[in-house]
Amino acid sequence: MSFVTRFAPSPTGYLHLGHALSALTAFDAARAAGGRFLLRIEDIDRGRARPEFEATIYEDLAWLGIEWETPVRRQSEHMGEYTRVLDGLIERGLLYRDFRTRREIADAIASAPHGVNEDVFRGEALAEAEEAERLAAGEPFAWRLSLKKARAALGPAYFSLVFEGETGVVRADPERHGDVVLARKDFPTSYHLASVWDDALQGVTHVIRGDDLREAAHLHVLLQRLLDLPRPIYRHHGLVLGEDGKRLAKRATGVTLRALRERGKTPADVRAMIRASAHQG
Ligand code: GLU
């Protein structure tokens, strides 16, 4: 069986030990399987992605001894593709516009009966007349995936979505995410859409990433089914915890690979630090 995996960082900060764990886990797995390792730059957020962070990703990974195939796919160069994918879903009536502000969403959540958060929020398309009026007024909106429409489109298949995780075959439960935002106005894609599309396009057979993205698989398999894309195998690794026992934040400056390198640490030290602090998820 072929084995293709990837590391897909967002250049919105310097890589830290948690990223090193993801990159090394995927790279080592590809090596062990005699497979391929890809690097993908997830730079769709043009407000936060910076060239210096991207340049440092290449430096850090090379320093760790990781080798990747070129050319590297940079998502910012393929925005037109994501727009086409999104438009396809819109044409099929699977998405609806959500004009609510963050404030309105927060208020709706606060008045919801039991522990709903933004991620499990559900809405409905507005009546045509109101929508037309708000569009004409130039109000910003987000495109949400309607689970109701997805259920109608897939029929019984919706309830038998599965994926292979580390514990075997897992029933996918997209309901836990609610109607997720797949794009914002003037921003043609979300992480979910671009990542699922690219994994398929690049022939990724094994998605290897941290436990913080474990839940995302439940949505990603639904998107794969709706877009008629192949489904990769999922492997999630534990997170590297900081000294406070919490997961490392993007701005955990003390443990950036760049800072460690400047302090004279070696790639072997990094591997040892990861082993010592990796929390088994
Ligand atoms: N770009 C994502 C991140 O930086 C990772 C995406 C993935 O591995 O699917 O967290």
Side-chain angles (χ1 to χ4, degrees):
M1 189 183 112
S2 73
F3 187 108
V4 183
T5 191
R6 86 304 193 268
F7 174 55
S10 303
T12 54
Y14 293 115
L15 298 188
H16 56 54
L17 282 178
H19 296 107
L21 175 58
S22 287
L24 287 167
T25 305
F27 179 69
D28 291 349
R31 275 275 156 102
R36 296 167 54 202
F37 173 82
L38 311 175
L39 171 63
R40 183 167 74 230
I41 301 294
E42 299 206 326
D43 57 350
I44 54 172
D45 186 344
R46 280 174 278 188
R48 290 170 62 224
R50 290 216 236 121
E52 80 210 63
F53 294 137
E54 183 178 337
T56 310
I57 288 172
Y58 301 128
E59 262 171 55
D60 288 341
L61 296 181
W63 175 71
L64 283 174
I66 289 175
E67 288 161 24
W68 58 92
E69 294 183 10
T70 53
V72 167
R73 183 169 171 92
R74 301 174 70 242
Q75 290 188 327
S76 59
E77 293 170 356
H78 304 279
M79 297 306 259
E81 237 172 273
Y82 309 127
T83 304
R84 276 199 302 282
V85 178
L86 188 84
D87 285 348
L89 293 171
I90 294 169
E91 275 159 31
R92 287 161 63 196
L94 294 168
L95 310 188
Y96 61 91
R97 292 188 182 92
D98 184 353
F99 289 88
R100 284 167 307 180
T101 59
R102 275 179 192 282
R103 184 62 214 251
E104 284 168 334
I105 291 171
D107 288 349
I109 290 165
S111 60
H114 38 240
V116 190
N117 60 46
E118 179 173 1
D119 291 342
V120 297
F121 205 80
R122 263 155 246 264
E124 286 289 337
L126 295 175
E128 247 172 68
E130 185 185 349
E131 183 167 280
E133 203 175 293
R134 297 180 78 159
L135 278 176
E139 282 187 43
F141 60 85
W143 284 110
R144 280 188 193 265
L145 172 65
S146 164
L147 287 184
K148 201 167 103 188
K149 295 287 175 58
R151 278 196 300 273
L154 296 181
Y158 180 90
F159 298 98
S160 54
L161 292 170
V162 291
F163 60 92
E164 193 194 319
E166 38 286 291
T167 54
V169 175
V170 179
R171 259 283 305 278
D173 170 28
E175 298 290 325
R176 66 179 68 189
H177 290 287
D179 291 351
V180 292
V181 169
L182 289 190
R184 293 184 191 278
K185 191 187 181 216
D186 303 329
F187 206 82
T189 185
S190 66
Y191 151 68
H192 299 297
L193 191 72
S195 179
V196 160
W197 179 254
D198 284 354
D199 281 337
L201 186 84
Q202 296 188 286
V204 169
T205 60
H206 290 69
V207 169
I208 299 173
R209 59 189 176 199
D211 253 339
D212 51 334
L213 287 167
R214 180 183 291 271
E215 292 288 302
H218 292 266
L219 167 66
H220 293 184
V221 295
L222 171 61
L223 291 175
Q224 284 147 11
R225 180 60 75 95
L226 289 171
L227 295 168
D228 202 14
L229 302 173
R231 187 186 66 222
I233 289 168
Y234 288 89
R235 295 280 180 265
H236 301 94
H237 57 74
L239 302 178
V240 175
L241 301 181
E243 274 162 20
D244 56 0
K246 300 211 181 91
R247 78 173 268 235
L248 297 176
K250 275 252 158 69
R251 267 169 273 287
T253 48
V255 286
T256 64
L257 299 181
R258 190 166 165 265
L260 293 170
R261 195 160 72 228
E262 281 163 7
R263 292 213 301 270
K265 299 284 185 200
T266 65
D269 293 334
V270 168
R271 281 188 183 264
M273 288 168 84
I274 288 168
R275 267 199 307 276
S277 67
H279 169 80
Q280 287 314 302

